[in-house]
């Protein structure tokens, strides 16, 4: 899977939390959080295992 993702240069999915109940939606990370985590993982090498 890691190999396949390294070759992937297109978005994997686009999703929103619009259909989730408000209490659950509040617990989900925002786009800034996801972007930050992704950048940090890529900076570290993103090996995952």
């Amino acid at each position: 899977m890691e190999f396949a993702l390294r070759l992937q240069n297109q978005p994997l999915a686009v999703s929103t939390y619009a259909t989730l109940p408000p209490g659950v939606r509040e617990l989900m990370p925002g786009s800034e959080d996801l972007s930050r985590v992704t950048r940090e993982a890529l900076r570290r090498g993103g090996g995952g295992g």
Side-chain angles (χ1 to χ4, degrees):
M1 186 65 173
E2 180 181 338
F3 179 75
L5 291 176
R6 284 186 182 173
L7 297 178
Q8 180 63 271
N9 62 2
Q10 300 294 316
L12 296 177
V14 175
S15 183
T16 65
Y17 303 139
T19 59
L20 295 175
V24 173
R25 209 176 314 150
E26 295 169 1
L27 300 174
M28 303 304 288
S31 60
E32 291 95 15
D33 295 325
L34 294 173
S35 293
R36 179 181 46 78
V37 169
T38 302
R39 279 192 307 273
E40 290 172 2
L42 291 172
R43 197 174 305 131
R44 287 192 307 264

